[in-house]
């Protein structure tokens, strides 16, 4: 970090110089530590670290020895610190398979809710055992910690779906920030980030509801919040002990997460229903999207055995450049499992969707796109080829789907600053100012009953009750006294 | 408005072209109608309209015949439509004088609260009679309305402190947006804009509280909200009838205000305490600030008789370029009445303040700056020359004040986009997209009891009560039955 007075600044850093050059600290080159989550989550972080690299920062990624996608096959020079773990890639694969099957077998409805959450709890236990190995692999490795300390990182960027990044940052004495798509029922955002979520119009994550709810749906939504909170807070119990042990004082996972300087949320108002948020939340959905490159002739991605009855006009590919395909002028529709990355590529290019959601946020994502008129959903458990064909015909032939997809595209492209640039701006802001404390709501300093003003309301009720009691007593006393006097007078 | 396919676009419009040129509608030249508020409010709008002018838009201002500051003495060509009114400039002057004296005599404390609001109510009545003349002057003038309709405005930008701008926009069939500093207790922002404000850490406007409150202060704050709501909602009664009459259907002022596409709030997180907000709220505080120009030697602004005991080193000036003075390297401190414009100029240039607040948001503003360690307050009613001198010495000699002022300056200057550019971006966004419906929270479609989920909570309580009742009945029935059987058995 360099404080600038009379330095010639390369043109590429001009975006930092907002209005008055002489008094702003500029990051010429900083050190960024990344705490990623595997799978599709990595694609987002990868874009950020490539951009950070472009802007002359040194980036180091902490990754376990058993990752699926996280690797150094990047275009840009990134340091990797590998954390040895005893589990294998196959364990992660089977965890994800279990997760998918949980949703396919018990997709949460009012009837399956209990089974769903019981099974989810079991999965979270497995996840805990895997995650704790990563934490221990860093925090109990004095050599690695010393090496990290020596690197003098300016900021740690964590995907909090893999827990512990915040803890590593605290141990290194550096500020940290999050990149997050969602937590179930926004438990993390609400309880740890202090974002308000009125149950009357903010649908709980995993509920598949929209911001327009009937009475019954609002009832379901209102109950979803405490139910999911309960599940996650019981899951957090083990983490609370772990965090207290590592930090050497009684604390909780949530309290620690609340210290994040900035929350980069991987959605935007093209996708999200408008809802309250806080100044340290930045919505950077679609930051991985790019203009399409020219395309070879491709039609399908498929891993596995080629079905015997496949038509002559269909070809199978193990991998296709999805973004380029969606950006092709002839792309009429997108059949998608509804991951956030894919949905954002469809929004970016204005392509209507047929959603076949499988797990996690996918059913919610498709519910959002349906509500915005840009998608039709097909149920993976019950669908026939005729259902899929009808859905495809609908989104292709009914012009409203294309119009709505194009409207979302226009919203997405018409922002004051591109999502990736905003994400990197706030990372660099935290580096320049060693945090972003001016964006931190005072709600973090309150207990839950203070936050909801329950002590104040209790006091006011007690005052009112005392007043009613005193007035009643006085009235009774007066009645009795004047009653007696009256009777006396009558007698006289 | 032009939809672009193959047009050469002047370089100055490049900021609209976010990523994909061919499919974005660009406003090459639009028509903007301005509904301003007089006094210091005009300074902010003036900056916006000059910038709009710079970007090739045609700007028309609707102003009454008795304005204080609103005039066509602008550097840029702006159309003025003058609304004839029967009141005079002197009436406005005396209204403002009354307002100042109300605060000086009854500055709201728990003891003076009732008198303060009673007197404020009287002032609001006067304000209503003045404001209604402006409304009638436009809405009941068919020639003017026809002329405005003919001008095909793309958007109306209103300062809602002068009521009716929204109504004019609705009658013209165009989208409208607001520029607003605050409303008392955020009544307008909360009830009409649906912004949440937890009383536990969001201080009510006019309360002079901060985001760090003791129990007693939270008690005061919690009671401030409904009290101020009550005052303002009774004031709104007359407006509700007026709005219903003009629109020819039962409606309220608040419902109409809720249709604003975007709320440009004239503060930012350098000044404001972090609090929840909504995606259609944009914080553009300090948009009027500019780098300082070289300065002639000036020391004081004073209107009135020169005091006899004035020292030889003090000079009086009727007007000084305040921004240039604050930007001068030798400016050590700023003695200010605490208006938002002046405070932002001090933040922009990093100058600590001595606040002598007089009325409206000024006591609040100084409370904010005190809490952020950049100001000392002196009470205008009780101050002696020694108090003022001590305060000045404190902010000049205690380095923490300068440091904090510089910290606020750094925060202010380090934004992804300058406040004025953000304000104009969203005005142009509304012009390009004929609104910003994707940012509008569904809270607007709910009744107050639905919004707070009172119907859902009521239903759940009724269910719980029924369950308790049934279980109790069953238990009693079983006890009686088994009790009898037991007794029978015993007898046997």
């Amino acid at each position: 970090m360099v404080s600038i007075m009379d330095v010639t600044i390369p043109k590429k850093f001009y975006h930092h110089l907002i209005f008055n050059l002489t008094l702003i600290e500029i990051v010429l080159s900083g050190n960024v530590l990344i705490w990623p989550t595997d799978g599709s989550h990595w694609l987002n972080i990868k874009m950020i670290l490539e951009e950070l690299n472009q802007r002359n920062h040194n980036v180091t990624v902490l990754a376990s020895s058993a990752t699926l996608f996280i690797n150094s096959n990047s275009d840009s020079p990134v340091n990797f610190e590998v954390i040895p773990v005893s589990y294998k890639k196959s364990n992660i694969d089977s965890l994800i398979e279990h997760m998918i099957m949980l949703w396919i077998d018990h997709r949460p409805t009012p009837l399956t809710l209990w089974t769903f959450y019981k099974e989810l709890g079991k999965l979270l236990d497995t996840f805990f055992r895997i995650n704790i190995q990563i934490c221990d692999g860093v925090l109990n490795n004095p050599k690695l910690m010393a090496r990290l300390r020596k690197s003098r990182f300016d900021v740690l960027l964590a995907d909090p779906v893999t827990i512990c990044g915040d803890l590593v940052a605290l141990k290194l004495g550096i500020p940290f920030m999050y990149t997050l798509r969602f937590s179930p029922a926004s438990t993390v955002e609400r309880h740890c980030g202090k974002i308000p979520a009125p149950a009357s119009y903010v649908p709980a994550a995993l509920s598949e509801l929209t911001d327009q709810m009937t009475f019954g749906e609002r009832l379901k939504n209102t109950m979803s919040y405490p139910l999911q909170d309960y599940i996650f807070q019981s899951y957090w119990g083990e983490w609370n002990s772990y965090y207290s042990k590592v930090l050497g004082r009684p604390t909780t996972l949530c309290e620690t997460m609340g210290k994040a300087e900035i929350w980069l949320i991987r959605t935007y108002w093209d996708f999200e229903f408008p809802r309250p948020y806080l100044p340290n939340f930045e919505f950077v959905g679609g930051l991985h999207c790019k203009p399409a490159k020219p395309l070879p002739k491709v039609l399908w991605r498929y891993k596995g055995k080629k079905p015997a009855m496949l038509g002559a006009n269909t070809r199978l590919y193990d991998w296709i450049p999805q973004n380029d395909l969606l950006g092709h002028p002839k792309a009429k529709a997108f059949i998608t499992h509804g991951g956030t990355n894919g949905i954002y590529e469809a929004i970016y290019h204005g392509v209507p969707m047929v959603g076949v959601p499988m797990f996690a946020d996918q059913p919610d994502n498709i519910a959002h796109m349906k509500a915005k008129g840009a998608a039709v959903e097909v149920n993976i458990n019950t669908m026939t080829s005729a259902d899929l064909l009808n859905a495809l015909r609908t989104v292709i032939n009914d012009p409203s789907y294309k119009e709505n997809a194009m409207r979302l595209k226009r919203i997405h492209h018409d922002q004051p600053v591109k999502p990736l640039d905003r994400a990197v701006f706030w990372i660099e802001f935290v580096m320049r100012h060693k945090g972003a404390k001016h964006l931190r709501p005072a709600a973090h300093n309150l207990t839950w009953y203070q936050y909801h003003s329950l002590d104040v309301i209790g006091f006011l009720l007690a005052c009112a009750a005392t007043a009613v009691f005193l007035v009643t007593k006085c009235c009774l006393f007066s009645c009795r006294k004047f009653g007696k006097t009256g009777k006396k007078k009558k007698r006289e």
Side-chain angles (χ1 to χ4, degrees), chain A:
Chain A
M1 308 266 276
V2 181
S3 172
I4 289 208
M5 274 301 171
D6 262 313
V7 183
T8 311
I9 298 157
K11 212 166 185 180
K12 61 194 285 202
F13 292 107
Y14 279 13
H15 59 279
H16 300 280
L17 314 179
I18 305 297
F19 358 156
N20 192 335
L21 179 67
T22 47
L23 279 140
I24 303 176
E25 275 205 341
I26 312 280
V27 178
L28 282 181
S29 164
N31 298 318
V32 183
L33 186 58
I34 306 271
W35 182 270
T37 290
D38 213 333
S40 61
H41 291 229
W42 170 246
L43 299 179
N44 257 275
I45 289 233
K46 196 165 163 264
M47 284 301 294
I48 293 178
L49 62 86
E50 281 172 6
E51 185 65 24
L52 286 170
N53 239 308
Q54 283 275 322
R55 302 196 195 202
N56 270 1
H57 301 298
N58 304 313
V59 181
T60 303
V61 178
L62 279 166
S64 87
S65 56
T67 71
L68 300 178
F69 291 173
I70 303 172
N71 58 45
S72 47
N73 293 348
S74 166
D75 303 336
S76 33
V78 171
N79 316 313
F80 275 82
E81 284 283 1
V82 177
I83 312 160
V85 289
S86 67
Y87 63 84
K88 301 273 168 292
K89 271 190 195 189
S90 56
N91 297 86
I92 306 278
D93 274 332
S94 104
L95 183 65
I96 293 176
E97 201 181 311
H98 267 109
M99 189 108 73
I100 296 176
M101 289 319 292
L102 165 63
W103 252 269
I104 288 183
D105 293 342
H106 310 284
R107 181 159 163 183
T109 67
L111 289 177
T112 64
L113 216 57
W114 193 246
T115 332
F116 173 80
Y117 281 114
K118 218 176 63 187
E119 294 296 321
L120 184 65
K122 286 185 202 164
L123 267 176
L124 286 176
D125 277 345
T126 317
F127 190 73
F128 175 76
R129 284 195 301 278
I130 285 179
N131 199 154
I132 209 98
Q133 280 199 35
I134 305 180
C135 304
D136 281 342
V138 181
L139 295 163
N140 294 345
N141 183 340
K143 273 190 188 167
L144 174 57
M145 284 302 281
R147 203 157 59 239
L148 294 176
R149 251 186 218 106
K150 220 178 132 190
S151 299
R152 299 192 167 274
F153 291 104
D154 298 302
V155 66
L156 182 144
L157 175 67
D159 185 327
V161 166
T162 303
I163 290 173
C164 265
D166 30 48
L167 208 46
V168 172
L170 287 189
K171 290 304 261 184
L172 294 176
I174 56 171
F176 66 92
M177 48 196 293
Y178 289 137
T179 160
L180 177 69
R181 160 66 186 93
F182 83 108
S183 72
S186 316
T187 300
V188 167
E189 298 93 311
R190 280 160 52 236
H191 288 280
C192 322
K194 306 296 179 191
I195 205 170
S200 50
Y201 74 98
V202 180
L206 303 190
S207 68
E208 297 179 46
L209 295 168
T210 73
D211 61 346
Q212 311 278 353
M213 292 179 263
T214 62
F215 177 81
E217 287 170 337
R218 286 195 291 115
L219 186 64
K220 179 186 166 192
N221 200 43
T222 307
M223 292 172 77
S224 288
Y225 279 111
L227 179 63
Q228 296 195 30
D229 283 355
Y230 170 75
I231 304 288
F232 277 80
Q233 277 162 355
S234 46
Y235 165 60
W236 283 343
E238 293 184 276
W239 282 117
N240 294 343
S241 321
Y242 186 84
Y243 271 58
S244 304
K245 200 185 72 194
V246 170
L247 292 177
R249 57 181 165 80
T251 187
T252 62
L253 168 64
C254 208
E255 191 195 353
T256 312
M257 294 187 82
K259 296 185 194 301
E261 305 290 338
I262 306 267
W263 300 63
L264 301 174
I265 305 295
R266 298 198 298 265
T267 57
Y268 181 64
W269 311 112
D270 41 14
F271 169 95
E272 195 90 54
F273 302 115
R275 51 165 294 168
Y277 63 109
L278 288 162
N280 57 346
F281 279 68
E282 192 68 26
F283 290 77
V284 294
L287 62 81
H288 65 293
C289 298
K290 289 175 178 177
K293 281 181 280 190
L295 202 69
K297 206 185 162 191
V298 292
L299 288 166
W300 198 265
R301 177 190 168 174
Y302 184 76
K303 276 174 96 164
K305 235 175 134 179
K306 182 173 170 171
M309 68 297 194
L310 203 68
N313 63 346
T314 311
R315 289 163 68 182
L316 298 182
Y317 286 85
D318 188 41
W319 183 86
I320 52 158
Q322 180 172 291
N323 184 57
D324 302 339
L325 190 68
L326 287 170
H328 192 278
K330 283 192 178 164
K332 292 269 182 235
F334 179 34
I335 304 178
T336 173
H337 64 291
T340 316
N341 288 337
I343 293 225
Y344 259 106
E345 288 169 359
I347 290 176
Y348 186 95
H349 296 293
V351 180
M353 291 158 256
V354 171
V356 195
M358 296 171 77
F359 79 112
D361 57 338
Q362 295 161 8
D364 261 357
N365 297 348
I366 296 299
H368 281 225
M369 288 301 105
K370 270 163 66 185
K372 288 173 194 273
V376 163
E377 183 179 354
V378 178
N379 186 311
I380 194 168
N381 283 335
T382 60
M383 75 171 180
T384 61
S385 55
D387 291 339
L388 188 61
L389 190 65
N390 281 339
L392 256 178
R393 280 193 177 138
T394 306
V395 300
I396 293 173
N397 298 333
D398 179 341
S400 73
Y401 290 93
K402 180 68 184 174
E403 279 160 23
N404 286 321
M406 290 302 286
R407 183 174 52 83
L408 298 184
K409 172 180 174 161
R410 278 194 299 273
I411 292 169
H412 183 80
H413 288 253
D414 204 358
Q415 302 180 41
V417 180
K418 277 199 278 185
L420 181 59
D421 288 341
R422 275 189 291 127
V424 171
F425 175 88
W426 287 110
I427 294 170
E428 292 188 336
F429 185 97
V430 170
M431 295 164 79
R432 279 195 290 277
H433 300 265
K434 303 185 194 327
K437 291 285 173 288
H438 71 295
L439 300 178
R440 182 183 170 78
H444 287 285
N445 311 333
L446 300 172
T447 64
W448 65 270
Y449 59 85
Q450 286 174 333
Y451 176 84
H452 293 289
S453 296
L454 296 185
D455 52 349
V456 169
I457 293 167
F459 177 80
L460 287 174
L461 286 179
C463 288
T466 311
V468 168
F469 176 76
L470 287 179
V471 168
T472 317
K473 273 281 169 194
C474 285
C475 283
L476 284 177
F477 180 77
S478 310
C479 284
R480 224 177 299 153
K481 187 151 188 189
F482 289 110
K484 270 183 192 167
T485 325
K487 274 181 196 168
K488 239 185 198 173
K489 270 195 180 165
K490 242 187 186 173
R491 257 182 245 160
E492 279 170 8

